[in-house]
Amino acid sequence: LKGVLLYPIGFDTSKKYPMVVTVYQKLRYNMNKYLIDGIGMMSPTEGINIRTLLRKGYMVYMPDIVFDDRGTGRAALDCVNTAMDAIQDNLAIDFTKVALVGHSHGGYETNFIATQSNRFATYVSGAGNSDLVRSYHSFNYDFKRPFFWQYEDGQYEMPGSFVENKALYIDNSPIYHAEKVNSPMLLWTGMQDYNIFWEQTMEFYMGLRRSKKPVIALFYPDDGHSFFKTKNRIDLYSRIYEWLDFHLKNRKSAWIEKMHS
């Protein structure tokens, strides 16, 4: 596996920088991408623009993730931990100020890793599954087919069906571990999402709230899995940058501070 580590614009060897880790699956293809500013749809993670983060003084790390018979979440956790170990001696990174960010499948990975890790100061998760059991038995209206195909033969790469692997599906579901989250989370989704049903985000939010965890959830009623309305994109990107600045740069923000009041 490989990882792409990008340094901030104007990098100074005498300083330590906060870092944003963004996850999906294999992201090595980003090593030769030209990065532009803006609020366009920038892979690999909806809701952030990598060049903007570099301009704002963040390191950005994109580790590869692959899956195995331990289940999607457990394998993702192992890949991210190994990737973090690989750069642990980098003196430019402030490892007390690192965020994990993901959207869609990366949002699910972020949700799960948040329940198992103590390496990140904060998390941002967009439109990610929280309950694999419920998702497995749902209908995906974007793909117009039952969702179990994506677990058995698609992106999740689980070792088999739910019937054959009930304990594994439960173990890899973030909602069953919500009480273990130990860093603040920002969740977001569009309520017209017919790929990852928006109530998956609501349920994870409620699970975190019930366990008295610091969390804020943003629900956009007129957008879907990815955001196409400019007003929503501007609002979402702005709030995510404020969230990162608040938790990684100690910047003040009134709407975030309400979470702690």
Side-chain angles (χ1 to χ4, degrees), residues 149-197:
W149 69 270
Q150 202 170 46
Y151 290 90
E152 298 178 25
D153 301 303
Q155 191 174 35
Y156 284 80
E157 299 183 34
M158 293 291 278
S161 70
F162 171 72
V163 171
E164 299 166 325
N165 300 275
K166 291 183 179 181
L168 199 66
Y169 276 79
I170 292 171
D171 181 57
N172 280 269
S173 294
I175 191 62
Y176 296 103
H177 308 285
E179 75 281 0
K180 302 174 188 175
V181 172
N182 56 24
S183 294
M185 294 198 73
L186 178 65
L187 309 175
W188 65 269
T189 189
M191 296 175 72
Q192 301 299 317
D193 190 345
Y194 298 110
N195 183 0
I196 305 297
F197 189 38

Coordinates of all heavy atoms in Angstrom, one line a residue, residues 149-197:
W149 N -26.0 -6.5 -2.7 CA -25.0 -6.8 -3.7 C -23.7 -6.1 -3.4 O -22.6 -6.6 -3.7 CB -25.5 -6.4 -5.1 CG -25.7 -4.9 -5.3 CD1 -26.8 -4.2 -5.0 CD2 -24.7 -4.0 -5.8 NE1 -26.5 -2.9 -5.3 CE2 -25.2 -2.7 -5.8 CE3 -23.3 -4.2 -6.2 CZ2 -24.5 -1.6 -6.2 CZ3 -22.7 -3.1 -6.7 CH2 -23.3 -1.8 -6.6
Q150 N -23.8 -4.8 -2.9 CA -22.6 -4.0 -2.6 C -21.7 -4.6 -1.5 O -20.5 -4.4 -1.4 CB -22.9 -2.6 -2.4 CG -21.8 -1.6 -2.7 CD -22.2 -0.2 -2.7 OE1 -22.9 0.3 -1.8 NE2 -21.8 0.6 -3.7
Y151 N -22.3 -5.4 -0.6 CA -21.6 -6.0 0.5 C -21.0 -7.3 0.1 O -19.9 -7.6 0.5 CB -22.5 -6.2 1.7 CG -22.9 -4.9 2.3 CD1 -24.0 -4.1 1.9 CD2 -22.1 -4.3 3.3 CE1 -24.3 -2.9 2.5 CE2 -22.4 -3.1 3.9 CZ -23.5 -2.4 3.5 OH -23.8 -1.2 4.1
E152 N -21.7 -8.1 -0.7 CA -21.2 -9.4 -1.1 C -20.3 -9.4 -2.3 O -19.4 -10.2 -2.4 CB -22.4 -10.3 -1.4 CG -23.3 -10.5 -0.1 CD -24.5 -11.4 -0.4 OE1 -24.4 -12.2 -1.4 OE2 -25.5 -11.3 0.3
D153 N -20.6 -8.5 -3.3 CA -19.9 -8.5 -4.6 C -19.4 -7.1 -5.0 O -18.9 -7.0 -6.1 CB -20.8 -9.1 -5.7 CG -21.2 -10.5 -5.4 OD1 -20.4 -11.3 -5.2 OD2 -22.5 -10.7 -5.3
G154 N -19.5 -6.1 -4.1 CA -19.2 -4.8 -4.5 C -18.2 -4.1 -3.6 O -17.3 -4.8 -3.0
Q155 N -18.4 -2.9 -3.4 CA -17.4 -2.0 -2.7 C -17.0 -2.4 -1.3 O -15.9 -2.3 -0.9 CB -17.9 -0.6 -2.7 CG -16.9 0.5 -2.3 CD -17.5 1.9 -2.5 OE1 -18.6 2.1 -2.2 NE2 -16.6 2.8 -2.9
Y156 N -18.0 -2.9 -0.5 CA -17.7 -3.3 0.9 C -16.8 -4.5 1.0 O -16.1 -4.7 2.0 CB -18.9 -3.4 1.7 CG -19.6 -2.1 2.0 CD1 -20.3 -1.4 1.1 CD2 -19.3 -1.5 3.2 CE1 -20.9 -0.1 1.4 CE2 -19.9 -0.3 3.6 CZ -20.6 0.4 2.6 OH -21.2 1.6 2.9
E157 N -16.9 -5.4 0.0 CA -16.0 -6.6 0.0 C -16.1 -7.4 1.3 O -15.1 -7.9 1.8 CB -14.6 -6.3 -0.3 CG -14.4 -5.6 -1.7 CD -12.9 -5.3 -2.0 OE1 -12.0 -6.1 -1.6 OE2 -12.7 -4.3 -2.6
M158 N -17.3 -7.6 1.8 CA -17.4 -8.4 3.0 C -17.2 -9.9 2.6 O -17.5 -10.3 1.4 CB -18.8 -8.2 3.6 CG -19.0 -6.8 4.3 SD -18.0 -6.6 5.8 CE -19.0 -7.4 7.0
P159 N -16.8 -10.8 3.5 CA -16.5 -12.2 3.1 C -17.7 -13.0 2.7 O -17.5 -14.2 2.3 CB -15.8 -12.7 4.4 CG -16.3 -11.9 5.5 CD -16.5 -10.5 4.9
G160 N -18.9 -12.5 2.9 CA -20.1 -13.3 2.5 C -21.4 -12.6 2.9 O -21.4 -11.4 3.2
S161 N -22.5 -13.3 2.9 CA -23.8 -12.7 3.2 C -23.9 -12.4 4.7 O -23.1 -12.9 5.5 CB -24.9 -13.7 2.8 OG -24.9 -14.8 3.6
F162 N -24.9 -11.7 5.0 CA -25.2 -11.4 6.4 C -25.6 -12.7 7.2 O -25.2 -12.9 8.3 CB -26.4 -10.4 6.5 CG -26.9 -10.2 7.9 CD1 -26.2 -9.6 8.9 CD2 -28.1 -10.8 8.3 CE1 -26.6 -9.4 10.2 CE2 -28.6 -10.6 9.6 CZ -27.9 -9.9 10.5
V163 N -26.4 -13.6 6.5 CA -26.8 -14.8 7.2 C -25.6 -15.6 7.6 O -25.6 -16.2 8.7 CB -27.7 -15.6 6.2 CG1 -28.0 -17.0 6.8 CG2 -29.0 -14.9 6.0
E164 N -24.5 -15.6 6.8 CA -23.3 -16.4 7.1 C -22.4 -15.7 8.0 O -21.5 -16.3 8.6 CB -22.6 -16.8 5.8 CG -23.5 -17.6 4.8 CD -22.9 -17.6 3.5 OE1 -22.3 -16.6 3.0 OE2 -23.0 -18.7 2.8
N165 N -22.5 -14.4 8.2 CA -21.5 -13.6 8.9 C -22.2 -12.5 9.8 O -21.8 -11.4 9.8 CB -20.6 -12.9 7.9 CG -19.8 -13.8 7.0 OD1 -18.8 -14.3 7.4 ND2 -20.4 -14.0 5.9
K166 N -23.2 -12.9 10.6 CA -24.0 -11.9 11.4 C -23.1 -11.2 12.3 O -23.2 -10.0 12.4 CB -25.1 -12.6 12.1 CG -26.2 -13.2 11.2 CD -27.4 -13.8 12.0 CE -28.5 -14.2 11.0 NZ -29.6 -14.8 11.8
A167 N -22.2 -11.9 13.1 CA -21.4 -11.2 14.1 C -20.4 -10.2 13.4 O -20.2 -9.2 13.9 CB -20.6 -12.2 14.9
L168 N -19.9 -10.6 12.2 CA -19.0 -9.7 11.5 C -19.6 -8.4 11.0 O -19.1 -7.4 11.1 CB -18.4 -10.5 10.3 CG -17.1 -9.9 9.7 CD1 -16.0 -10.1 10.8 CD2 -16.7 -10.7 8.5
Y169 N -20.9 -8.5 10.5 CA -21.6 -7.3 10.1 C -21.9 -6.4 11.3 O -21.7 -5.2 11.2 CB -22.9 -7.7 9.4 CG -22.8 -8.1 8.0 CD1 -22.3 -9.3 7.5 CD2 -23.1 -7.1 7.0 CE1 -22.1 -9.6 6.2 CE2 -23.0 -7.4 5.6 CZ -22.5 -8.7 5.2 OH -22.3 -9.0 3.9
I170 N -22.2 -7.0 12.4 CA -22.5 -6.2 13.6 C -21.2 -5.5 14.1 O -21.2 -4.3 14.4 CB -23.1 -7.0 14.7 CG1 -24.5 -7.4 14.3 CG2 -23.2 -6.3 16.0 CD1 -25.2 -8.5 15.2
D171 N -20.1 -6.3 14.1 CA -18.8 -5.8 14.6 C -18.3 -4.7 13.8 O -17.7 -3.7 14.3 CB -17.8 -6.9 14.7 CG -16.5 -6.4 15.2 OD1 -16.4 -5.9 16.3 OD2 -15.5 -6.6 14.5
N172 N -18.6 -4.7 12.5 CA -18.1 -3.6 11.5 C -19.1 -2.5 11.4 O -18.9 -1.6 10.5 CB -17.8 -4.3 10.2 CG -16.4 -5.0 10.2 OD1 -15.4 -4.4 9.8 ND2 -16.4 -6.2 10.5
S173 N -20.1 -2.4 12.2 CA -21.1 -1.4 12.2 C -20.8 -0.3 13.2 O -20.8 -0.6 14.4 CB -22.5 -1.9 12.4 OG -22.9 -2.8 11.3
P174 N -20.5 0.9 12.8 CA -20.1 2.0 13.8 C -21.2 2.2 14.9 O -20.8 2.5 16.0 CB -20.0 3.2 12.9 CG -19.6 2.7 11.6 CD -20.4 1.4 11.4
I175 N -22.5 2.0 14.6 CA -23.5 2.4 15.6 C -23.4 1.5 16.8 O -23.7 1.9 17.9 CB -24.9 2.3 14.9 CG1 -26.0 2.9 15.9 CG2 -25.2 0.8 14.6 CD1 -25.8 4.3 16.1
Y176 N -22.9 0.3 16.7 CA -22.8 -0.6 17.8 C -21.5 -0.3 18.7 O -21.4 -1.0 19.7 CB -22.7 -2.1 17.3 CG -24.0 -2.5 16.6 CD1 -24.1 -2.6 15.2 CD2 -25.1 -2.8 17.4 CE1 -25.2 -3.0 14.6 CE2 -26.3 -3.1 16.7 CZ -26.4 -3.2 15.4 OH -27.5 -3.6 14.7
H177 N -20.8 0.7 18.3 CA -19.6 1.1 19.0 C -19.6 2.6 19.3 O -18.5 3.1 19.7 CB -18.3 0.7 18.3 CG -18.2 -0.7 17.8 ND1 -17.9 -1.7 18.6 CD2 -18.4 -1.2 16.5 CE1 -17.9 -2.9 17.9 NE2 -18.2 -2.6 16.7
A178 N -20.7 3.2 19.2 CA -20.7 4.7 19.3 C -20.2 5.2 20.6 O -19.6 6.3 20.7 CB -22.2 5.2 19.0
E179 N -20.4 4.5 21.7 CA -20.0 4.9 23.0 C -18.5 5.0 23.1 O -17.9 5.6 24.1 CB -20.6 4.0 24.1 CG -19.9 2.6 24.2 CD -20.3 1.6 23.1 OE1 -21.1 2.0 22.3 OE2 -19.8 0.5 23.2
K180 N -17.7 4.4 22.2 CA -16.3 4.4 22.2 C -15.6 5.6 21.6 O -14.4 5.8 21.6 CB -15.7 3.2 21.6 CG -16.2 1.9 22.2 CD -15.8 0.7 21.4 CE -16.4 -0.6 21.9 NZ -16.0 -1.8 21.1
V181 N -16.4 6.5 20.9 CA -15.8 7.6 20.2 C -15.3 8.6 21.3 O -16.0 8.9 22.2 CB -16.9 8.3 19.3 CG1 -16.4 9.7 18.8 CG2 -17.3 7.4 18.2
N182 N -14.1 9.1 21.1 CA -13.5 9.9 22.1 C -13.0 11.3 21.6 O -12.3 12.0 22.3 CB -12.3 9.2 22.8 CG -11.2 8.7 21.8 OD1 -11.1 9.3 20.7 ND2 -10.5 7.7 22.2
S183 N -13.4 11.7 20.3 CA -13.0 13.0 19.8 C -14.3 13.6 19.1 O -15.1 12.8 18.6 CB -11.9 12.9 18.8 OG -10.7 12.5 19.4
P184 N -14.4 14.9 19.0 CA -15.6 15.5 18.4 C -15.8 15.1 16.9 O -14.8 15.0 16.2 CB -15.3 17.0 18.5 CG -14.2 17.1 19.6 CD -13.4 15.9 19.5
M185 N -17.0 15.0 16.6 CA -17.4 14.6 15.2 C -18.3 15.6 14.6 O -19.3 16.1 15.2 CB -18.1 13.2 15.2 CG -17.2 12.0 15.6 SD -17.8 10.4 15.0 CE -17.5 10.5 13.2
L186 N -18.1 15.9 13.3 CA -19.0 16.7 12.5 C -19.6 15.7 11.4 O -18.8 15.1 10.6 CB -18.3 17.8 11.8 CG -19.2 18.7 10.9 CD1 -20.3 19.4 11.6 CD2 -18.3 19.7 10.1
L187 N -20.9 15.5 11.4 CA -21.6 14.7 10.5 C -22.4 15.5 9.5 O -22.9 16.6 9.9 CB -22.5 13.7 11.2 CG -21.9 12.9 12.3 CD1 -23.0 12.0 13.0 CD2 -20.8 12.0 11.9
W188 N -22.5 15.1 8.3 CA -23.4 15.9 7.4 C -23.9 14.9 6.3 O -23.4 13.9 6.0 CB -22.6 17.0 6.7 CG -21.4 16.6 5.8 CD1 -20.1 16.4 6.1 CD2 -21.5 16.3 4.4 NE1 -19.4 16.0 5.1 CE2 -20.2 15.9 4.0 CE3 -22.6 16.3 3.5 CZ2 -19.9 15.6 2.7 CZ3 -22.3 15.9 2.1 CH2 -21.0 15.6 1.8
T189 N -25.1 15.3 5.8 CA -25.7 14.5 4.7 C -26.8 15.4 4.0 O -27.3 16.4 4.6 CB -26.3 13.3 5.3 OG1 -26.8 12.4 4.2 CG2 -27.5 13.6 6.2
G190 N -27.2 14.9 2.8 CA -28.3 15.5 2.1 C -29.5 14.7 2.4 O -29.4 13.4 2.3
M191 N -30.7 15.3 2.6 CA -31.9 14.5 3.0 C -32.6 14.0 1.7 O -33.6 13.3 1.8 CB -32.8 15.3 3.8 CG -32.2 15.7 5.2 SD -33.2 16.8 6.2 CE -34.5 15.7 6.7
Q192 N -32.0 14.2 0.5 CA -32.5 13.6 -0.7 C -31.5 12.5 -1.2 O -31.5 12.2 -2.4 CB -32.7 14.7 -1.8 CG -33.6 15.8 -1.5 CD -35.0 15.3 -1.2 OE1 -35.5 14.5 -2.0 NE2 -35.7 15.8 -0.2
D193 N -30.7 12.0 -0.3 CA -29.8 11.0 -0.6 C -30.5 9.6 -0.7 O -31.0 9.1 0.2 CB -28.7 10.9 0.5 CG -27.5 10.0 0.2 OD1 -27.6 9.3 -0.8 OD2 -26.5 10.1 0.9
Y194 N -30.4 9.1 -2.0 CA -31.0 7.8 -2.2 C -30.0 6.7 -2.4 O -30.3 5.6 -2.9 CB -32.0 7.9 -3.4 CG -33.1 8.8 -3.2 CD1 -33.1 10.1 -3.9 CD2 -34.1 8.6 -2.3 CE1 -34.1 11.0 -3.7 CE2 -35.1 9.5 -2.1 CZ -35.1 10.7 -2.8 OH -36.2 11.6 -2.6
N195 N -28.7 7.0 -2.1 CA -27.7 6.0 -2.1 C -27.4 5.5 -0.7 O -27.7 4.4 -0.4 CB -26.4 6.6 -2.7 CG -25.3 5.7 -2.9 OD1 -25.4 4.5 -2.5 ND2 -24.2 6.1 -3.4
I196 N -26.9 6.4 0.1 CA -26.7 6.1 1.6 C -27.8 6.9 2.3 O -27.8 8.1 2.4 CB -25.4 6.5 2.1 CG1 -24.2 5.9 1.3 CG2 -25.3 6.2 3.6 CD1 -24.2 4.4 1.4
F197 N -28.9 6.2 2.7 CA -30.1 6.8 3.3 C -29.7 7.8 4.4 O -28.9 7.4 5.3 CB -31.0 5.8 3.8 CG -32.4 6.3 4.2 CD1 -33.0 7.3 3.4 CD2 -33.0 5.8 5.3 CE1 -34.2 7.8 3.8 CE2 -34.3 6.3 5.6 CZ -34.9 7.2 4.9

